[in-house]
């Protein structure tokens, strides 16, 4: 595993826990964690349960005893590491976003395709696809329970940047983060809407906006936990992304991503409306799915709160008895299950690098649309 | 109409509005309102739209041009007025509780039965039966959609007495009010549970408790709006009523009534659970019914929020387009519709005085159980 | 009152009920209702309680004994009637939309301004401003409780057109209705967002779309209740309106209006987010307001469900005790109160015709933006 | 660890995960898991990550290299194992219920007290105390935010026994399970109500009832997953427990436990109402706490949904960023943290065996009250 921040902790938990609850066809071992700061990464190895730590990812990627490279670094380093790992014959699991630019993502996708032919597997980490309720939502759509999809609303609302004195971390710098709310959380909204509907966003019209344009520079310390200094620097990413997309089928979808929505902590909400039914998912209540069945007798129709914790719901059989909630981190175990299974069976794990590239093209199209006065821009042209 | 307080306003609104929306078989006229204070009742007549006011109810009840007597006075006067009205050959609509004592209620029921044979109709005003969602709930049970009823929970939670300095109004005096939360709001919980399930409470075990035993006496002014004086008097009714009942079928039901439940304003909630389904109603969201259908595929089951505003839902056709909410007062229009229809058709309006007597017996049984250390007491023995 | 459809019923109820609960400074009388079909309007007069009916609105508008003209016809006739009524020296209450075109609305606004100088009052009927929870929401914003407004989301979601076989009524014809979901319900979303925030939408970028382009023509019968015939005609209005607006302060607002959102019956929802707090209102639960106060201790923050039924909440004192819900129609009583009060006091009732004109300009700008590939278009340039 | 069923899986996950997220003062190792079936327990050791398996708990309990004994067997074996473990000088963590009888629980409590003096620690596993929202609820009460506690409602509603053909497992046999819904889930309702209020239940009046009195005997196979046979046997435990309790302060509390409440999967709900505020918790949404602050301005009061995921909420700092939900199993990690910390610091972990004994006495008092016609019975007399 390359990287050991918040995502490193989540992935570690996935690798540790998945084999305990699921019958995996292969037995993954947590071998090496890599980071630039030797002392810090050594501590991380101990904390998160990796056998070794290392500071040179190139060296580790080249090791013969390593089969899988799991990339959890910031987005600007994904391409270089993934390309090297694929070159070295490894299977690669890469946290989202696939890359910070379309060009990088294209190179990675090409490399992944070539590697697939050599027996290597690649996957990008949109774990919200692996929440049982979202997987079940996709199934309802695929089974035709919503009929023809007519409208989609997908929003990801958080509020951790509402304070204008919050410091200028790497997530607020375009060269590190690629974009702001758009790529950080808007990417999840797009991916989840596409995953549930089974349709891609074909064209977009949108606007990006930075609400707080200057913030205190970080003083001593690094990362999100750094303290603010006396000086200020420019915020170079968007705070709010508002865009409309048209799906392949022609249906319109409304998207919103913001880290300024007071009171919303992790509000990834997707609503899908079709000719026979509708559904809604909210990440703040991730064990629930609202489903409206318009084929029931009219007087009895209503949004139904399905508590997605039955054994036969997706991913749930190995966990707890019905009614016992899963949490945020369980998606990372499910990701391990699906990745390891695909490696074992020789199939393409989903979402692929090509899927990640597509998302990157959607984000890029939104940026271009915003720059062009919200003109409509195709995503995969 | 005898009386002109809060209930007088609600009944007046029912008489005024019902004929505008519903095609009534008879055309009621709002003739005389009666009260003890000539000036006040004269003002009330003007405000609520009655042609005349009067101070002597006996005289009005005896008038030949009066066909219906609507009683909205405090419970201690119901029996005397209703008996006189029935004696005088009038149809009688009497606000709940039917009376303050079982003996009074028995006398009224006997008189109503005798009057029925003479062509007079009598009805007691449990208007929450006429909220479309509760009427629809009863229909679901009657249609067998819940299967065999196994458990019931009915609670009526309010918080307007939480302040220990709230004054000692007539509702806190046993000789006027009969009982406290038990009769004031617990009666609604019992009636609504019985109405929805179609079953009566056969035996009860319960406890009554007074949380604030002394309150300031009312100074100048009367009624609920009176101001507090320096002196205090004893609260002689219950603040909290907790009881368990067994329905005719043997199913257990849990009841709670309190005017001390901080944060609950008008929390009349009834939950019914059966072998094939369950439902829940809450008066604070009176346009909604939660319904759980346990015959649907297991993975798709969930409590469904039915927005009870479709034209084919009970009582709704003459009102607004689907999706437009009704409020508290609409039940009083529905009461007028049902009462007038029964008078016209010569049928027994529901709930009858006998139903009101039964509720009184349940309340009485709870009081006796509480006095006997929560021993089980039959209600209609 | 000119017109007697759904809105005529609602306005009639407002005129009838308002004087019973509120102390109006003037005593309105329900004199004449006007419609083209003599028999039908005669019946409507009886049903809704108007003293007379008539078929020639010009004649009625000219009568000396008429002081107020209340216009509840379809939008294409508003201008002609209102201009004549103002010319004739009447006070005018005109249902929304003010008109079907900006040009008509401008003429009406000019006429209203001239009439104001002559002592006449004019008002346009956006009654959702008079739901106690929305009035209270505006007060919270005006009092600074949300701090600086940063983001707004306003949507009006219904589902009554999801069936592609629903007939081609006048609401689906551009020459009668002006526009589709945009003007019918999107206008409410815009008005309510502006009312609560106290800010106007300055520019918009959006898209309109027709999902079902042909529908059965109406056979025999008229209006919404007409039956479908064998032939089909083109739908000439939008089914979905999606647009982004920028408020005067620069804050972005996302709007959506549709009559195709399966499962939503009357989903007018407005969310406002600011630097110190946030709020949300949903018309399907119109007695409630969600409020988030970001100045409370961080561990105790959360969206709070305020049950807006206390006596000191807006408009509530004359109605029922706290906890007793109001419904859809109460806004029409509040409209009567505010209109009559303004007439009596000589003040400008709100929203004025100028406000209605502004809304019309927003709708027009959305149509122009949609036609121009979602380019940004100013609303009041 | 003795036992390896559902609770064994949960405890294993606690032991495995807690050290990864929390800085424990001691480093627990997962040494031996014990069960009667050698092959099955061997498999369990592999699955849940224990170094060894064994079939003779007495032998394991006597081993010198074992410091802690974690008991997750059915309740009828708790006493014997715990007494032996305490005798052998071990720290003991015992899953709830402490025992199946008051006598056993008394013996265990005495032994634990004696062992405490020798430096051993004992704890009973009511993990719902360690859900961050319930821990936070207790703090709000302890801080006086609710004022004087006046009323409590605690219910635990499930529906997994609604099918009368569900087989007769050990949980339905009094000699194995002690009692039915009362001890299985009612115990949690009592414990959580006491934990949050900081008060014990002093007296109770209640009723127990068996709704389905005969069920199919288990055929081949054991445990919950066994299949039904052709023969039937008697259900010897309660299906529904309804009781009223009086807390030490005199406040009344209403309790309900049932495994027949259609549609409720894991509905442990506790409502506490006091003179200054109220709160409500529901295990089906375990990351949320509803709080009503009656000291806020009256027009702004409302139940507030606190999303209990902030770093400064109880237990949350080492987990994920704010807004990322925890699930059911996290309480078991928190239990490990608190138990290990108490062992290290030499303090009494909570809840103690004495607390577990008290709960047992409450359950016993309910059984005696039910047998005595719901007479009031003291719990700790």
């Amino acid at each position: 595993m390359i990287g050991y921040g918040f995502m490193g902790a989540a992935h570690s938990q996935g690798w540790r826990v998945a084999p305990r609850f699921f019958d995996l066809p292969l037995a993954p071992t947590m071998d090496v964690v890599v980071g630039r700061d030797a002392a810090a990464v050594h501590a991380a190895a101990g904390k998160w349960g990796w056998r070794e730590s290392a500071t040179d990812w190139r060296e580790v990627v080249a090791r013969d005893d390593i089969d899988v490279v799991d990339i959890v670094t910031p987005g600007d380093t994904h391409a270089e590491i993934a390309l090297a790992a694929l070159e070295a014959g490894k299977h690669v699991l890469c946290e989202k976003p696939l890359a910070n630019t379309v060009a990088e993502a294209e190179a990675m996708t090409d490399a992944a395709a070539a590697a697939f032919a050599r027996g290597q597997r690649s996957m990008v980490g949109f774990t919200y696809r692996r929440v049982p309720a979202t997987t079940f939502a996709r199934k309802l759509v695929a089974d035709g329970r919503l009929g023809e999809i007519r409208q989609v609303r997908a929003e990801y609302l958080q509020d951790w940047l509402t304070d204008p004195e919050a410091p200028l971390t790497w997530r607020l710098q375009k060269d590190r983060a690629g974009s702001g709310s758009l790529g950080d959380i808007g990417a999840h909204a797009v991916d989840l809407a596409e995953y549930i509907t089974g349709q891609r966003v074909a064209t977009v019209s949108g606007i990006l906006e930075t609400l707080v344009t200057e913030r205190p520079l970080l003083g001593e310390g690094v990362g999100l936990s750094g303290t603010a200094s006396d000086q200020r620097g420019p915020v170079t990413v968007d705070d709010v992304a508002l865009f409309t997309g048209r799906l392949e089928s022609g249906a319109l979808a409304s998207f919103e991503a913001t880290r300024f929505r007071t009171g919303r902590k992790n509000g990834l909400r997707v609503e899908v409306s079709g000719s026979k039914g509708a559904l809604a998912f909210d990440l703040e209540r991730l064990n629930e799915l609202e489903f409206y069945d318009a084929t029931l007798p009219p007087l009895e129709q209503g949004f139904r709160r399905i508590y997605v914790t039955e054994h036969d719901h997706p991913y749930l059989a190995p966990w707890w008895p019905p009614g016992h909630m899963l949490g945020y981190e369980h998606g990372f175990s499910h990701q391990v299950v699906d990745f390891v299974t695909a490696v074992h069976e020789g199939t393409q794990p989903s979402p692929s690098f090509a899927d990640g590239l597509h998302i990157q093209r959607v984000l890029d199209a939104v940026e271009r649309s915003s720059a062009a006065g919200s003109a409509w821009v195709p995503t995969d042209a």
Side-chain angles (χ1 to χ4, degrees), chain A:
Chain A
M1 185 171 76
I2 322 295
Y4 57 94
F6 159 32
M7 272 302 116
H11 280 234
S12 298
Q13 183 74 341
W15 289 111
R16 175 169 31 256
V17 171
R20 296 299 169 194
F21 287 83
F22 293 83
D23 289 323
L24 298 183
L26 300 169
T29 50
M30 296 171 70
D31 296 319
V32 196
V33 59
V34 186
R36 281 170 302 189
D37 180 324
V41 73
H42 178 76
K47 180 168 179 55
W48 301 120
W50 295 83
R51 292 180 184 167
E52 304 172 38
S53 65
T55 56
D56 185 343
W57 63 261
R58 291 174 199 279
E59 209 170 277
V60 174
V61 158
R63 277 168 55 168
D64 282 348
D65 64 332
I66 297 290
D67 298 313
V68 172
V69 175
D70 183 1
I71 306 172
V72 294
T73 52
D76 59 338
T77 61
H78 286 185
E80 190 179 12
I81 300 170
L83 291 172
L86 290 170
E87 178 86 20
K90 311 306 183 195
H91 306 292
V92 177
L93 171 58
C94 181
E95 188 44 47
K96 59 76 43 185
L98 184 60
N100 274 3
T101 69
V102 168
E104 287 173 343
E106 285 172 340
M108 294 166 78
T109 301
D110 289 346
F116 185 87
R118 300 191 301 264
Q120 295 165 248
R121 302 292 164 256
S122 310
M123 182 179 178
V124 61
F126 283 100
T127 47
Y128 294 138
R129 291 181 173 213
R130 301 177 203 286
V131 171
T134 64
T135 311
F136 186 59
R138 176 181 169 91
K139 181 173 169 7
L140 287 171
V141 173
D143 288 350
R145 302 297 300 279
L146 270 66
E148 182 193 346
I149 301 304
R150 284 172 170 162
Q151 289 173 277
V152 176
R153 164 78 182 167
E155 61 186 27
Y156 204 150
L157 312 178
Q158 298 181 335
D159 72 356
W160 56 279
L161 283 177
T162 44
D163 180 359
E165 295 305 308
L168 190 66
T169 68
W170 70 264
R171 284 190 181 273
L172 298 170
Q173 301 171 20
K174 189 167 179 54
D175 55 345
R176 298 296 309 285
S179 65
S181 59
L182 178 65
D184 180 18
I185 54 179
H188 280 298
V190 172
D191 182 70
L192 196 54
E194 293 191 340
Y195 172 68
I196 291 175
T197 62
Q199 291 188 46
R200 286 191 166 180
V201 174
T203 57
V204 296
S205 161
I207 185 166
L208 302 177
E209 180 125 324
T210 305
L211 296 179
V212 172
T213 53
E214 271 196 352
R215 288 183 178 273
L217 291 174
L218 278 171
E220 295 305 309
V222 292
L224 287 165
S225 55
T227 54
S229 79
D230 289 348
Q231 295 186 299
R232 284 167 182 272
V235 173
T236 49
V237 299
D238 60 281
D239 286 332
V240 176
L242 270 174
F243 51 104
T244 302
R246 195 181 283 282
L247 304 185
E248 290 167 288
S249 68
L252 289 170
S254 160
F255 294 95
E256 186 163 9
T258 168
R259 299 176 292 200
F260 269 79
R261 192 65 137 258
T262 302
R264 298 305 302 273
K265 302 306 172 187
N266 208 15
L268 172 56
R269 182 176 174 87
V270 177
E271 298 178 11
V272 181
S273 176
S275 56
K276 291 187 183 168
L279 58 79
F281 168 79
D282 190 326
L283 186 60
E284 291 191 8
R285 287 176 171 169
L286 67 81
N287 295 269
E288 304 178 21
L289 184 69
E290 289 182 86
F291 175 47
Y292 187 97
D293 184 347
T295 68
L296 291 177
L299 298 191
E300 299 180 12
Q301 293 180 16
F303 275 98
R304 200 187 304 169
R305 171 194 175 244
I306 301 174
Y307 199 52
V308 188
T309 62
E310 298 295 311
H311 270 176
D312 291 336
H313 279 133
Y315 297 109
L316 274 158
W319 296 105
W320 313 108
H324 290 72
M325 285 173 55
L326 300 191
Y328 162 71
E329 74 209 55
H330 293 76
F332 293 91
S333 283
H334 303 160
Q335 180 169 270
V336 163
V337 172
D338 292 340
F339 181 71
V340 169
T341 301
V343 166
H344 176 69
E345 297 182 350
T347 54
Q348 171 61 53
S350 172
S352 66
F353 277 22
D355 295 327
L357 166 59
H358 164 72
I359 297 295
Q360 208 57 39
R361 283 177 172 153
V362 173
L363 306 184
D364 186 67
V366 173
E367 291 195 275
R368 286 184 288 133
S369 173
S370 180
S374 299
W376 285 84
V377 174
T379 61
D380 274 336

